[in-house]
């Protein structure tokens, strides 16, 4: 039976709430109090077509997973559905014009260029979620600036005609020593969401880490992989361990090659830029049933399920339910790296969650410089694989991390920005730019393979200095011509 828009429109309150998603009607009345984003946003679209608001946040299988089949009411004749008239939004009109006027893709020469374009073209709420960090965002900036305090000691007169920067991560051979790290809500930046990153990772033969809080469903992302493409799973541990076990076992069954347990988020940090957006509509592919604070941004609204009681004793349980390598993501001190070795973890990611958790947490690369000498002194450097993420924007950053002893680095936001601004072609170009930078800079420091990178090639004496002095070279800075970001087209003059 085909429903009419008139019939659906009668069910527009919390006593009887129907919504239309992709031309089908659903009775969500009983689900209202369980919706992770709260009932307010659903009621806003009660009796109406909610597809446009639903898509960026929810994986396509959400309703199949969490709404009883008896509540799937059937197809709606969309020609009978009243169109929701939207008020004119000058800000949105200006954004659409900026999208038309954005720079050509080949005008982006580095990863920061993509961020510059994305800032001007993304919706305010989406930009707020992607770009925000904890409190005063000191750690967000420090993650990037820390790399600037590491200097090279290059070798010369080395035959560098042929350069190979392939390596292995958790036994997987990759063409470049970075992976696409997990970032939530990919459809805020692009309608295809995380699948875009899957396709780019395949083309460049790098690993993609699938996020717990993806906009696409886990299976949708796995299905987008081709051939023997390798993917890892990033896991936020649910307070309901049965849900967690189901997720882990399903990931292993589908062929995931690594389980990255996030350990730095017993509670999500205050991300004020995101909070100000008053993000209202939330939901993810693996969580349901918990109330949430939806007044303080996307991060708070999707994180209520995370278990703050997660502790070291739980690692043994994870080892009992999976044969996947277990990597602890979010380790921030040497002592905890040693504990990770002790409990049998196969790896750690030295990370502060992209500066989104504890402000004034040190950068991953600084912790790395402190960690590797201790592991070498104890003879443990081969017992665990060490990765870092946060602030990586150049191939020189990757090379510095590998010189210090990292197995590889995770890159997150830059690929989101490239995707948001230019789609798959943007992510493809971003990865190619890193590849070109890797080849050039490996040659310039006098190395032809990853195994030649070592601490003697860098100077880290200033790495622990967290305050950058104010420049006193006024003359030099006066005449310095700052690097520019890609220019938008000038709007045509109105006649």
């Amino acid at each position: 039976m085909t429903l009419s828009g008139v019939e659906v429109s009668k069910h527009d309150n919390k006593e009887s709430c129907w919504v239309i998603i992709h031309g089908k009607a659903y009775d969500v009345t009983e689900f209202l109090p369980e919706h992770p984003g709260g009932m307010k946003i659903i009621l806003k679209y009660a009796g109406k077509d909610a597809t446009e608001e639903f898509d960026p946040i929810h994986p396509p299988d959400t309703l199949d997973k969490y709404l009883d089949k008896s509540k799937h009411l059937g197809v709606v004749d969309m020609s009978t559905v009243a169109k929701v008239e939207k008020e004119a939004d000058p800000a949105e009109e200006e954004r659409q014009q900026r999208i038309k006027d954005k720079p050509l893709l080949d005008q982006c020469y580095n990863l920061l260029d993509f961020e510059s374009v994305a800032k001007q073209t993304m919706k305010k709420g989406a930009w707020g979620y992607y770009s925000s960090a904890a409190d005063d965002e000191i750690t967000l900036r420090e993650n990037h600036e820390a790399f600037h305090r590491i200097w090279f000691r290059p070798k010369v007169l080395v035959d560098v005609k042929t350069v190979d920067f392939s390596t292995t991560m958790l036994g997987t051979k990759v063409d470049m020593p970075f992976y696409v790290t997990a970032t939530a809500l990919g459809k805020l930046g692009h309608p295809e969401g995380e699948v875009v990153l899957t396709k780019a990772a395949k083309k460049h033969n790098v690993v993609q880490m699938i996020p717990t809080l993806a906009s696409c469903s886990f299976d949708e992302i796995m299905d987008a992989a081709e051939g023997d493409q390798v993917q890892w799973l990033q896991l936020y541990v649910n307070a309901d361990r049965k849900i967690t076990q189901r997720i882990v076992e399903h990931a292993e069954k589908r062929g995931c090659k690594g389980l990255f347990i996030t350990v730095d988020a017993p509670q999500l940090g205050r991300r004020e830029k995101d909070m100000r957006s008053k993000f209202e509509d939330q939901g993810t592919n693996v969580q349901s049933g918990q109330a949430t604070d939806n007044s303080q941004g996307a991060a708070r609204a999707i994180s209520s399920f995370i278990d703050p009681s997660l502790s070291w004793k739980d690692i043994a349980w994870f080892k009992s339910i999976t044969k996947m390598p277990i990597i602890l993501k979010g380790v921030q001190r040497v002592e905890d790296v040693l504990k990770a070795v002790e409990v049998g973890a196969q790896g750690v990611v030295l990370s502060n969650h992209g500066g989104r958790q504890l402000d004034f947490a040190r950068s991953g690369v600084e912790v790395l410089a402190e960690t590797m000498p201790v592991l070498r002194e104890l003879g443990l450097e081969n017992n665990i694989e060490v990765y870092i993420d946060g602030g990586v924007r150049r191939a020189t950053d990757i090379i510095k991390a590998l010189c210090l002893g990292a197995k590889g680095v995770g890159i997150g936001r830059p690929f989101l920005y490239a995707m948001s601004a230019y789609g798959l072609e943007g992510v493809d170009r971003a990865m190619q730019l890193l590849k070109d930078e890797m080849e050039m800079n490996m040659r310039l420091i006098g190395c032809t393979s990853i195994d030649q990178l070592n601490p003697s090639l860098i100077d880290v004496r200033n790495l622990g200095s967290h305050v950058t002095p104010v420049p006193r070279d006024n003359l030099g800075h006066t005449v310095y011509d700052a690097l520019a970001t890609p220019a938008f087209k000038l709007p045509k003059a109105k006649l």
Side-chain angles (χ1 to χ4, degrees):
M1 182 182 71
T2 300
L3 296 167
S4 71
V6 174
E7 174 62 22
V8 175
S9 68
K10 296 175 183 177
H11 302 268
D12 61 353
N13 54 72
K14 64 180 181 181
E15 281 71 39
S16 181
C17 181
W18 293 8
V19 294
I20 301 170
I21 306 291
H22 291 297
K24 296 180 180 180
Y26 299 88
D27 182 350
V28 295
T29 311
E30 295 178 10
F31 182 65
L32 284 174
E34 298 181 356
H35 183 233
M39 67 171 67
K40 181 181 176 182
I41 185 62
I42 298 182
L43 288 172
K44 180 180 178 181
Y45 290 93
K48 303 182 181 74
D49 184 359
T51 305
E52 187 175 342
E53 292 296 319
F54 178 93
D55 271 352
I57 310 300
H58 302 79
D61 62 352
T62 300
L63 293 167
D64 289 331
K65 277 188 174 182
Y66 301 122
L67 193 66
D68 188 89
K69 291 296 186 288
S70 65
K71 307 300 181 183
H72 296 220
L73 304 176
V75 175
V76 179
D77 180 355
M78 295 305 290
S79 67
T80 65
V81 175
K83 301 295 182 183
V84 178
E85 295 297 328
K86 293 187 176 181
E87 296 181 11
D89 184 354
E92 177 61 17
E93 292 175 3
E94 291 176 8
R95 187 180 76 89
Q96 291 299 326
Q97 188 60 50
R98 289 196 298 272
I99 291 174
K100 294 178 182 178
D101 295 338
K102 69 184 179 185
L104 297 173
L105 177 58
D106 60 10
Q107 291 178 279
C108 292
Y109 295 123
N110 59 67
L111 267 54
L112 285 168
D113 283 349
F114 294 108
E115 185 169 349
S116 173
V117 177
K119 183 177 181 179
Q120 297 297 319
T121 56
M122 291 182 70
K123 290 184 177 180
K124 182 180 178 181
W127 171 258
Y129 179 68
Y130 281 1
S131 67
S132 62
D135 297 350
D136 297 312
E137 302 191 340
I138 305 298
T139 289
L140 172 70
R141 295 190 293 276
E142 166 63 12
N143 282 346
H144 179 57
E145 291 173 0
F147 286 103
H148 298 172
R149 300 195 297 273
I150 301 174
W151 293 77
F152 286 121
R153 302 177 67 249
K155 297 185 294 184
V156 297
L157 293 176
V158 177
D159 180 355
V160 289
K161 182 178 181 179
T162 302
V163 176
D164 176 14
F165 38 83
S166 63
T167 187
T168 59
M169 297 181 185
L170 298 178
T172 297
K173 186 172 182 181
V174 293
D175 287 355
M176 291 182 279
F178 69 79
Y179 58 89
V180 181
T181 196
T183 49
L185 303 184
K187 287 186 181 180
L188 288 179
H190 190 277
E192 291 185 53
E194 292 79 10
V195 165
V196 172
L197 305 178
T198 308
K199 294 175 181 177
K202 171 61 179 177
K203 179 174 181 179
H204 293 274
N205 191 31
V206 295
V207 177
Q208 176 192 25
M209 186 190 297
I210 300 175
T212 294
L213 299 175
S215 293
C216 298
S217 70
F218 172 81
D219 286 319
E220 188 179 8
I221 300 169
M222 290 294 295
D223 290 343
E226 298 179 25
D228 57 356
Q229 183 175 354
V230 171
Q231 291 164 300
W232 298 330
L233 173 68
Q234 173 269 331
L235 180 72
Y236 284 120
V237 178
N238 197 304
D240 184 341
R241 294 303 165 82
K242 290 182 180 178
I243 293 177
T244 293
Q245 183 170 352
R246 187 183 74 233
I247 295 167
V248 171
E249 290 176 346
H250 182 64
E252 184 169 7
K253 184 178 180 180
R254 285 300 315 265
C256 268
K257 301 300 183 183
L259 176 62
F260 285 67
I261 303 172
T262 294
V263 297
D264 60 4
Q267 174 182 330
L268 272 264
R270 282 176 57 89
R271 304 165 191 177
E272 295 175 10
K273 199 185 302 176
D274 178 37
M275 290 162 66
R276 293 181 199 282
S277 298
K278 299 290 184 183
F279 207 98
E280 294 179 320
D281 183 11
Q282 319 306 332
T284 66
N285 58 307
V286 294
Q287 316 304 337
S288 70
Q290 293 91 352
T292 183
D293 176 359
N294 64 358
S295 65
Q296 296 187 332
R300 286 290 173 99
I302 61 178
S303 65
S304 59
F305 69 91
I306 297 175
D307 187 0
S309 74
L310 181 68
S311 68
W312 287 103
K313 69 179 185 296
D314 293 305
I315 305 305
W317 176 74
F318 279 103
K319 292 176 70 176
S320 75
I321 66 169
T322 183
K323 294 180 180 178
M324 287 187 289
I326 293 174
I327 297 85
L328 305 184
K329 180 180 180 293
V331 177
Q332 298 174 65
R333 52 191 241 147
V334 181
E335 295 88 343
D336 284 344
V337 176
L338 297 179
K339 281 187 181 181
V341 175
E342 186 180 326
V343 300
Q346 283 91 337
V348 293
V349 182
L350 304 178
S351 168
N352 53 45
H353 215 101
R356 291 162 77 83
Q357 286 298 93
L358 177 66
D359 209 9
F360 292 96
R362 296 183 302 160
S363 68
V365 73
E366 182 179 343
V367 179
L368 176 68
E370 195 175 272
T371 296
M372 295 311 298
V374 175
L375 289 178
R376 293 186 186 107
E377 183 180 345
L378 296 173
L380 299 173
E381 69 272 26
N382 296 321
N383 290 34
I384 193 164
E385 294 193 6
V386 180
Y387 300 87
I388 71 165
D389 66 31
V392 176
R393 297 295 182 270
R394 292 279 190 181
T396 48
D397 300 336
I398 301 173
I399 292 170
K400 290 170 184 177
L402 269 62
C403 284
L404 284 168
K407 193 71 173 173
V409 307
I411 300 177
R413 281 188 179 101
F415 295 144
L416 286 182
Y417 295 141
M419 176 181 76
S420 301
Y422 297 99
L424 176 59
E425 292 77 11
V427 185
D428 178 21
R429 180 165 174 81
M431 291 184 177
Q432 185 61 45
L433 287 170
L434 285 172
K435 183 176 181 180
D436 294 343
E437 288 184 13
M438 280 292 296
E439 184 173 22
M440 176 185 72
N441 288 299
M442 289 280 285
R443 283 193 174 117
L444 294 177
I445 64 170
C447 294
T448 58
S449 62
I450 295 300
D451 59 6
Q452 294 174 12
L453 300 176
N454 66 81
S456 75
L457 295 166
I458 51 175
D459 179 354
V460 295
R461 287 176 295 177
N462 195 43
L463 181 54
S465 174
H466 296 140
V467 179
T468 304
V470 177
R472 297 186 182 278
D473 180 7
N474 294 326
L475 178 61
H477 282 269
T478 299
V479 301
Y480 174 70
D481 188 4
L483 294 174
T485 54
F488 283 71
K489 298 175 185 176
L490 292 174
K492 294 179 181 178
K494 294 182 180 180
L495 297 177

